Amino acid sequence: MSETTFESPLDRAIDDLWERRGELTPDDTQARKTIVGAVDAIDAGEARVAQVAADGAVVVDERAKRAILLSFKVLPMVESAAGDFRFHDRVPLKTRFDGVRVVPGAIVRWGAHVEPGAVLMPSYTNIGGYVGAGTLVDTWATVGSCAQVGRNVHLSGGVGLGGVLEPPSAVPVVVEDDAFVGSRCMVVEGARVRRGAKLGAGAILTASTHVFDAVTGEEYPRGEVPERAVAVGSSRVRSFPAGDFAMPCILVLRTLDEGEIHDKLALNDILREHGVAS
């Protein structure tokens, strides 16, 4: 967490409602109005669940998270439809996509913000999520609740960014600007892919995953792919009373130069160089 002073743009009344959340019901019209207004602000990008501060740490807006959690208390179950599909839920689907390309099959829930210039293939973005301009959310990728995705990111096919809602102080998954997350990667539990990093296909990154440098053996902070790193999923042998077992980890093959641009073909070349890709 950052020590940077942060003031939520959302109504302080959300904090008071949180303290009496056990009493709230859909019949409490004033509470519902306040909570819906707060989530509308998140939906519009006027507030967001988390962001990277100037010191590089992730700052969480607990009030934004509280508003999302409270919405489940005060919104009634409602039937809705999208074409021939029928739904029954408390949270409606997002209806405004100014400047966003939304391919049929893409689903975004109200309370998620997608910046103009993003492209959503058939995918799923949950409440509280944030998708930056120029980002491609590819087919069957999932942006979990409150996951924060920066600008010019490529979430490849089948990527799963886990959702983090409770407790309100918990840091969500963060994928920073210019990152690439390979097909079928799983990034969960508030893990972080830093600016310009490239994560090879099939890697699993959790908040407790060990991250090592393949050249120096240096261990980086757990659960984080370093800035501009080219990294892949790997394993290391650990001894237990029952025997030796391979435990998952992340291996940093190389760190790109500042400003160095690597398209997917160049990334494949790096992976082939290390015997990771065929």
Side-chain angles (χ1 to χ4, degrees):
M1 290 291 292
S2 171
E3 296 180 359
T4 301
T5 302
F6 174 78
E7 179 63 34
S8 173
L10 299 178
D11 192 336
R12 290 177 178 271
I14 293 295
D15 297 334
D16 297 328
L17 291 171
W18 179 256
E19 293 303 317
R20 60 181 187 90
R21 59 190 178 278
E23 309 167 10
L24 299 181
T25 70
D27 295 328
D28 193 331
T29 55
Q30 184 55 50
R32 187 169 71 247
K33 180 179 178 181
T34 300
I35 293 164
V36 167
V39 181
D40 274 341
I42 300 169
D43 186 272
E46 297 164 2
R48 58 190 295 182
V49 168
Q51 53 192 303
V52 179
D55 63 2
V58 177
V59 178
V60 177
D61 184 346
E62 292 189 39
R63 195 174 293 161
K65 270 198 172 185
R66 287 175 172 178
I68 291 169
L69 289 165
L70 290 172
S71 70
F72 300 127
K73 300 280 291 183
V74 299
L75 293 175
M77 295 290 286
V78 175
E79 293 185 3
S80 62
D84 292 331
F85 295 95
R86 299 292 182 270
F87 305 96
H88 191 233
D89 193 12
R90 298 184 190 280
V91 179
L93 297 182
K94 187 177 180 69
T95 57
R96 292 197 61 177
F97 294 95
D98 297 334
V100 179
R101 181 183 170 205
V102 185
V103 175
I107 296 175
V108 184
R109 292 177 100 191
W110 168 71
H113 182 68
V114 185
E115 289 187 340
V119 177
L120 307 179
M121 299 301 284
S123 56
Y124 185 83
T125 301
N126 209 343
I127 188 170
Y130 194 102
V131 178
T135 287
L136 170 62
V137 182
D138 221 328
T139 305
W140 310 137
T142 300
V143 178
S145 52
C146 300
Q148 305 292 294
V149 182
R151 294 178 173 179
N152 303 315
V153 171
H154 185 173
L155 301 181
S156 301
V159 163
L161 304 185
V164 179
L165 265 178
E166 296 185 272
S169 60
V171 176
V173 168
V174 175
V175 179
E176 297 182 26
D177 295 353
D178 304 312
F180 172 87
V181 183
S183 296
R184 307 297 175 185
C185 283
M186 300 294 293
V187 183
V188 300
E189 297 176 2
R192 183 176 180 183
V193 180
R194 286 183 175 260
R195 182 176 67 87
K198 318 297 179 185
L199 187 57
I204 297 177
L205 181 67
T206 74
S208 59
T209 299
H210 290 267
V211 181
F212 298 98
D213 189 291
V215 177
T216 66
E218 173 189 0
E219 182 168 3
Y220 296 101
R222 292 189 188 185
E224 293 188 5
V225 179
E227 187 172 310
R228 305 192 316 278
V230 177
V232 295
S234 187
S235 62
R236 60 180 185 143
V237 176
R238 296 287 306 275
S239 296
F240 296 89
D244 295 339
F245 297 91
M247 300 294 292
C249 67
I250 295 293
L251 196 61
V252 174
L253 303 178
R254 178 182 164 190
T255 300
L256 304 176
D257 295 332
E258 181 69 50
E260 187 177 4
I261 298 175
H262 277 263
D263 59 22
K264 283 185 283 187
L265 291 177
L267 176 59
N268 285 336
D269 288 341
I270 295 174
L271 297 179
R272 289 192 188 96
E273 177 185 340
H274 290 82
V276 177
S278 56

